[in-house]
Amino acid sequence: MRILLALLYVSLVGAPGGSSLPANDSFRNTIQSILNIGQITLFHIKKLRTKLPAAPQMEFSTPSIDGLTSISRDLQILDNELQNPVTDLLSQIQADVSSMEGRVRLFALTMGCPVQARPRGHPWASLFPDSHFYLILEKVQRYLDTIFLNKDKLKVC
């Protein structure tokens, strides 16, 4: 009987120390999952571009990536811009970005990072829908490329 109690005690006391490794694996898996969604999104963008005429050259700046909070905010903005009532060509990319934002948001909350409330409504209003279409594709692609270059920022708030 004492042996059973001793084993139970050891398993209960040893559990917290042993559980830190799976948490680290969980964090690594979450980060990898976020990056995988980004890779899939880039694939969808490249596939869509092959079906479209060549895009015009556009200049804009990509927001800086400071950590999970800024990534979540930027993905929310891109998600809203992708919700285009004129065409459904962006629906898969919008779903990808929305999924990625959800994972980043959940991971940020798990890490105790501050996360902004999701903006309401669709800010999509453009006098030049074709230009906007190409612009948002380019924005998403460049932002995802920036995330891959700064993937260490997925570990900080």
Side-chain angles (χ1 to χ4, degrees):
M1 180 70 159
R2 287 185 183 187
I3 293 175
L4 257 116
L5 286 173
L7 287 174
L8 179 63
Y9 176 77
V10 169
S11 67
L12 290 175
V13 171
S19 66
S20 66
L21 182 60
N24 287 338
D25 284 345
S26 175
F27 287 162
R28 270 185 254 132
N29 290 341
T30 301
I31 290 170
Q32 190 58 49
S33 172
I34 291 167
L35 295 173
N36 287 343
I37 294 170
Q39 289 286 45
I40 291 167
T41 307
L42 288 173
F43 172 77
H44 287 145
I45 290 171
K46 289 175 185 168
K47 186 176 174 185
L48 179 59
R49 284 184 188 264
T50 62
K51 298 175 182 177
L52 300 171
Q57 195 67 18
M58 294 180 226
E59 286 295 320
F60 60 90
S61 62
T62 303
S64 66
I65 295 177
D66 300 321
L68 291 167
T69 301
S70 69
I71 294 170
S72 176
R73 180 196 64 234
D74 296 337
L75 289 173
Q76 288 174 16
I77 292 167
L78 291 172
D79 184 14
N80 275 353
E81 288 185 35
L82 283 163
Q83 294 177 16
N84 183 338
V86 176
T87 180
D88 64 344
L89 290 175
L90 296 175
S91 62
Q92 181 60 58
I93 295 162
Q94 186 272 325
D96 294 343
V97 169
S98 182
S99 176
M100 187 174 183
E101 191 281 324
R103 296 240 178 161
V104 169
R105 171 183 285 282
L106 183 61
F107 189 49
L109 291 171
T110 303
M111 297 282 290
C113 303
V115 179
Q116 296 176 349
R118 288 185 67 78
R120 304 227 186 262
H122 307 295
W124 200 97
S126 176
L127 295 175
F128 306 102
D130 290 340
S131 299
H132 182 79
F133 179 82
Y134 285 107
L135 178 64
I136 190 60
L137 276 179
E138 189 67 26
K139 276 181 166 181
V140 172
Q141 183 172 357
R142 284 191 193 176
Y143 190 74
L144 293 176
D145 287 339
T146 303
I147 287 176
F148 285 110
L149 291 173
N150 296 286
K151 60 185 168 190
D152 58 315
K153 299 293 183 172
L154 288 168
K155 298 176 183 176
V156 296
C157 288

